[in-house]
């Protein structure tokens, strides 16, 4: 039986959600010839050897820190991925490797049920590849946003610039940093959490632990909270649809 292989490209990804999710999905669908594995690279250049010597790979996901670094290895970009400037799904087709971004789809549909009319301004914590999809979705929804970064600049403020007034105005807080991920679960973005209220909505792209220190601090102030698990499931299902189209 010829194997049909898929996998996740990333760095230090033994904890990954994707391998378990797709292994279970393939079992549920009775696809015994399908497998999903981790491609754990210390540098993105290692992907070339995998691409050159594994013709049975039919699709890949990409996670931090390679969502931007992988783009030069691709033949084509989906228009949305090109606008976002980050790729998390690679489709292997007869025309070569095409990059997609399903993070945007996952984030938009995971966040939508929580939005209220007063949620019209957001702070995006972090500026990595995942934050690009978040910013793209907020722009689509007409929600203005400012990035919060250790390196402030254009449309970016530093963490010590997040004041009571800034938090009052920005009622959506989205954590796109790795702070709080297992095993360092006590970490959280450096915000003045005492100014969070029940008008706020906190979304954390992290899913392990289920409730990060960031989310727990918001919940303690009456804010709505959501972790990144639903977003991950949605982006994974969209990846699967894309792979089947090739």
């Amino acid at each position: 039986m010829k194997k049909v292989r898929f996998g996740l490209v990333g760095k230090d990804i033994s904890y990954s959600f994707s391998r378990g999710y797709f292994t279970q999905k393939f079992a549920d669908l009775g696809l015994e010839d399908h497998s999903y594995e981790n491609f754990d690279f210390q540098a993105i250049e290692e992907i070339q050897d995998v691409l050159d010597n594994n013709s049975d790979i039919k699709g890949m996901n990409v996670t931090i820190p390679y969502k931007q670094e992988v783009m030069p290895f691709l033949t084509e970009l989906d228009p949305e991925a090109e606008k976002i400037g980050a790729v998390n799904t690679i489709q292997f087709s007869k025309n070569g490797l095409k990059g997609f971004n399903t993070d945007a789809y996952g984030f938009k549909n995971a966040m939508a049920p929580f939005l209220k009319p007063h949620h019209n301004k957001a702070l995006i914590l972090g500026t990595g590849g995942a934050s690009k999809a978040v910013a793209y979705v907020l722009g689509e929804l007409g929600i203005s946003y400012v990035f919060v970064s250790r390196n402030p600049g254009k449309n970016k403020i530093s963490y010590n610039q997040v004041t009571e007034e800034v938090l009052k105005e920005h009622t959506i807080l989205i954590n796109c940093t790795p702070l709080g991920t297992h095993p360092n679960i006590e970490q959280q973005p450096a915000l003045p959490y005492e100014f969070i209220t029940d008008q706020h909505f906190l979304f954390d792209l992290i899913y392990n632990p289920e409730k990060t220190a960031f989310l727990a601090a918001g919940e303690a102030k009456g804010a709505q909270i959501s972790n990144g698990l639903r977003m991950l499931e949605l982006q994974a299902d969209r990846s699967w649809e894309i792979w089947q189209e090739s």
Side-chain angles (χ1 to χ4, degrees):
M1 184 187 294
K2 191 181 176 211
K3 292 290 277 183
V4 182
R5 294 166 64 204
F6 301 88
L8 176 70
V9 173
K11 185 176 183 179
D12 303 328
I13 50 173
S14 58
Y15 67 87
S16 162
F17 155 92
S18 300
R19 183 168 58 181
Y21 187 77
F22 278 107
T23 299
Q24 186 60 53
K25 179 184 273 289
F26 296 154
D28 292 344
L29 294 171
L31 299 172
E32 294 175 17
D33 58 337
H34 285 46
S35 67
Y36 193 101
E37 61 205 88
N38 285 345
F39 296 102
D40 206 322
F41 301 146
Q42 291 306 298
I44 191 58
E45 288 72 24
E46 295 173 44
I47 196 174
Q48 195 60 60
D49 183 56
V50 173
L51 296 175
D52 291 344
N53 297 295
N54 294 277
S55 61
D56 51 352
I57 295 175
K58 300 303 178 192
M60 284 177 165
N61 291 123
V62 185
T63 190
I64 52 173
Y66 299 134
K67 292 185 182 190
Q68 293 155 273
E69 290 185 30
V70 77
M71 292 165 76
F73 294 89
L74 308 178
T75 315
E76 184 185 356
L77 286 178
D78 172 73
E80 188 171 65
E82 191 165 12
K83 280 183 199 167
I84 293 167
V87 162
N88 78 317
T89 300
I90 303 172
Q91 180 192 65
F92 287 53
S93 72
K94 57 184 183 296
N95 300 319
L97 305 181
K98 185 171 181 178
F100 293 81
N101 190 303
T102 68
D103 280 336
Y105 171 85
F107 174 66
K108 185 176 185 178
N109 288 281
M111 179 181 69
F114 295 93
L115 292 180
K116 294 178 177 170
H118 67 270
H119 290 140
N120 52 17
K121 287 190 176 181
L123 295 180
I124 302 175
L125 313 177
T127 55
S131 72
K132 291 181 177 295
V134 167
Y136 173 81
V137 168
L138 294 177
E140 273 200 321
L141 295 172
I143 296 170
S144 66
Y145 58 86
V146 176
F147 288 99
V148 184
S149 170
R150 287 172 299 180
N151 304 301
K154 187 181 178 187
N155 201 33
K156 285 193 291 186
I157 62 173
S158 65
Y159 283 91
N160 59 18
Q161 288 176 290
V162 180
T163 61
E164 179 178 8
E165 196 55 42
V166 169
L167 277 181
K168 193 173 182 180
E169 194 177 342
H170 297 80
T171 51
I172 304 174
L173 309 178
I174 304 156
N175 181 33
C176 301
T177 79
L179 291 171
T181 309
H182 182 83
N184 302 310
I185 59 172
E186 74 292 338
Q187 295 182 349
Q188 63 193 77
L191 298 174
Y193 291 94
E194 64 269 25
F195 302 130
I196 289 173
T197 70
D198 59 5
Q199 296 297 294
H200 285 88
F201 167 49
L202 278 64
F203 191 103
D204 201 327
L205 270 59
I206 295 169
Y207 58 91
N208 182 15
E210 188 177 325
K211 190 186 292 180
T212 57
F214 167 73
L215 292 181
E219 186 180 53
K221 292 294 185 178
Q224 287 184 286
I225 63 170
S226 176
N227 67 21
L229 184 60
R230 184 63 184 143
M231 173 182 169
L232 268 172
E233 292 170 346
L234 289 163
Q235 66 81 20
D237 290 342
R238 181 69 192 113
S239 295
W240 175 236
E241 289 172 6
I242 288 167
W243 294 333
Q244 290 179 293
E245 291 163 7
S246 61

